[in-house]
Amino acid sequence: MTPGAVVAGGLAGPWSAGAETPTGELQPWDVSPGIEGFFAFFALAAVVVALGFLVVRQMRRVDQNARVRAAQEAKERSEADGGAGVTEAEQDAPRSTEAE
């Protein structure tokens, strides 16, 4: 069977030129996606949820790595200054605006 014959006869189906359109009322099962559509939509939803979990996990890793890197850089800066740098606790402590 040649490729042209397959398209003309088999795969074109009722949508080929010259096919008559059905006359009559369409039934809900004629136009619904059926169980295949449900499974396809469910699989798509499962993939989206899984990707969401993976993205959240990756963002947490990136955030943790940034914290570790910032702490390491602060430690290296304080060691380079001879230990006279401001500690993290001193940076976070509230400062008094009153002159003593």
Side-chain angles (χ1 to χ4, degrees):
M1 188 181 274
T2 65
V6 170
V7 171
L11 295 179
W15 301 280
S16 64
E20 295 182 24
T21 58
T23 58
E25 197 69 28
L26 287 176
Q27 300 298 324
W29 55 83
D30 290 335
V31 293
S32 71
I35 194 74
E36 297 88 9
F38 172 76
F39 284 136
F41 191 76
F42 185 78
L44 180 66
V47 167
V48 168
V49 169
L51 284 174
F53 279 113
L54 291 173
V55 167
V56 167
R57 185 172 61 170
Q58 188 66 27
M59 293 299 290
R60 286 182 181 164
R61 282 184 187 166
V62 168
D63 190 39
Q64 179 63 25
N65 288 341
R67 287 181 192 160
V68 168
R69 188 176 297 124
Q72 188 176 20
E73 288 173 358
K75 182 179 177 183
E76 289 172 0
R77 276 195 307 265
S78 68
E79 289 174 355
D81 292 342
V86 178
T87 65
E88 187 175 329
E90 291 172 344
Q91 289 177 351
D92 292 338
R95 295 190 178 107
S96 174
T97 56
E98 301 175 14
E100 295 182 16

